[in-house]
Amino acid sequence: MKGLESKLSNYVPLVEFLGSVLGSHCEVVLHDVSNIESSIVAIKNSHVSSRKVGGSLTDLALQILKEKSYLEKDFLINYSGKTKDGKVVRSSTFFIKDESGNVAGMLCINMDVSSLVETRNHLEELIQGVSIAAPGGLNLEGKCLDAVVKPIEDLHTSIEDLTTSIIMKTLSEVEVPPDRMSPEEKMRVVQRLSEKGVFLIKGAVAEVAKHLKTSEATVYRYNSKIDQ
């Protein structure tokens, strides 16, 4: 636990406790947000997402850090996500804050509800006589929605996968391929990536430049204009 603040290290036994009480379908993860690339310092029932100690933050956590939305609330509950191998999870995150109200860590609970969603869909098909094309999930208010198709969080097993996923998702939102984009369109992509917190990741500039088919200096220049 070297390098962890005592306040954060106090949550480590809670990871083991919650994971044991809630059962094997429930992954409990403790993140140290001061180390984005290797934020996971404790995890129980890691088979849910195949992540391990030393793994990175998620795309949603990056966006939370960028937007500082933790200043307005103490936790998020019942949002939908998916693992790298396609499991549907219902997730909740508690923000561990320091004396100034800044987030020092995140305690996350990810419940694998894949089998429950599949069972629900079979029941609905039997009752209604209609095939369900895609299972649903839960939004932040706990309301049912088609969140498996568009989950708001991806649980990646490496920082490289996370970086690439955010970049590719952002590029998919633009109809023009990178080699045909105008400088203005590329700047908008960089701005969107910045809003998602991708540049908090070490080495992200080089990855963005590669996918945008431009130079690192250009990405830095776009970023400096956005910050003005």
Side-chain angles (χ1 to χ4, degrees), residues 193-211:
L193 289 170
S194 177
E195 292 169 352
K196 293 180 178 181
V198 75
F199 295 114
L200 298 174
I201 303 172
K202 294 177 182 176
V205 169
E207 280 299 305
V208 171
K210 181 176 71 175
H211 283 87

Side-chain angles (χ1 to χ4, degrees), residues 157-173:
T157 55
S158 71
I159 192 65
E160 293 81 12
D161 286 347
L162 172 62
T163 306
T164 301
S165 174
I166 297 174
I167 294 171
M168 296 306 293
K169 278 186 178 180
T170 305
L171 288 175
S172 71
E173 298 167 3

Side-chain angles (χ1 to χ4, degrees), residues 22-223:
L22 295 173
S24 62
H25 291 289
C26 192
E27 177 187 77
V28 183
V29 189
L30 179 63
H31 290 279
D32 174 7
V33 302
S34 67
N35 188 356
I36 290 171
E37 290 79 13
S38 303
S39 66
I40 298 178
V41 295
I43 187 168
K44 179 69 174 179
N45 299 327
S46 60
H47 56 271
V48 170
S49 68
S50 299
R51 293 179 298 168
K52 57 185 179 181
V53 170
S56 68
L57 282 177
T58 66
D59 48 358
L60 178 61
L62 278 177
Q63 191 166 344
I64 288 170
L65 290 181
K66 179 67 177 180
E67 296 175 349
K68 296 188 176 180
S69 54
Y70 55 82
L71 295 174
E72 302 171 0
K73 56 191 71 179
D74 294 322
F75 53 81
L76 294 175
I77 62 171
N78 293 335
Y79 56 89
S80 182
K82 68 179 178 65
T83 65
K84 188 175 181 179
D85 58 357
K87 293 190 187 83
V88 184
V89 295
R90 178 166 61 84
S91 301
S92 297
T93 294
F94 179 80
F95 303 129
I96 303 169
K97 301 180 183 180
D98 60 22
E99 292 73 15
S100 302
N102 292 312
V103 66
M106 296 182 185
L107 182 64
C108 304
I109 296 176
N110 304 305
M111 185 170 292
D112 180 4
V113 295
S114 300
S115 60
L116 296 176
V117 170
E118 185 177 357
T119 299
R120 185 199 65 186
N121 289 340
H122 286 318
L123 289 173
E124 289 185 357
E125 185 174 349
L126 287 171
I127 293 169
Q128 300 177 16
V130 178
S131 178
I132 307 300
L138 294 169
N139 63 11
L140 295 180
E141 288 76 37
K143 297 176 182 177
C144 222
L145 51 73
D146 188 16
V148 175
V149 178
K150 294 182 180 179
I152 67 170
E153 182 176 42
D154 286 329
L155 308 182
H156 291 285
T157 55
S158 71
I159 192 65
E160 293 81 12
D161 286 347
L162 172 62
T163 306
T164 301
S165 174
I166 297 174
I167 294 171
M168 296 306 293
K169 278 186 178 180
T170 305
L171 288 175
S172 71
E173 298 167 3
V174 184
E175 295 181 356
V176 183
D179 54 0
R180 292 173 52 195
M181 285 183 187
S182 66
E184 292 76 17
E185 288 170 326
K186 290 186 177 183
M187 183 181 291
R188 283 197 292 271
V189 170
V190 171
Q191 181 174 7
R192 185 71 183 112
L193 289 170
S194 177
E195 292 169 352
K196 293 180 178 181
V198 75
F199 295 114
L200 298 174
I201 303 172
K202 294 177 182 176
V205 169
E207 280 299 305
V208 171
K210 181 176 71 175
H211 283 87
L212 274 181
K213 301 187 184 304
T214 189
S215 67
E216 293 182 34
T218 300
V219 175
Y220 277 117
R221 186 172 71 253
Y222 290 159
N223 242 335

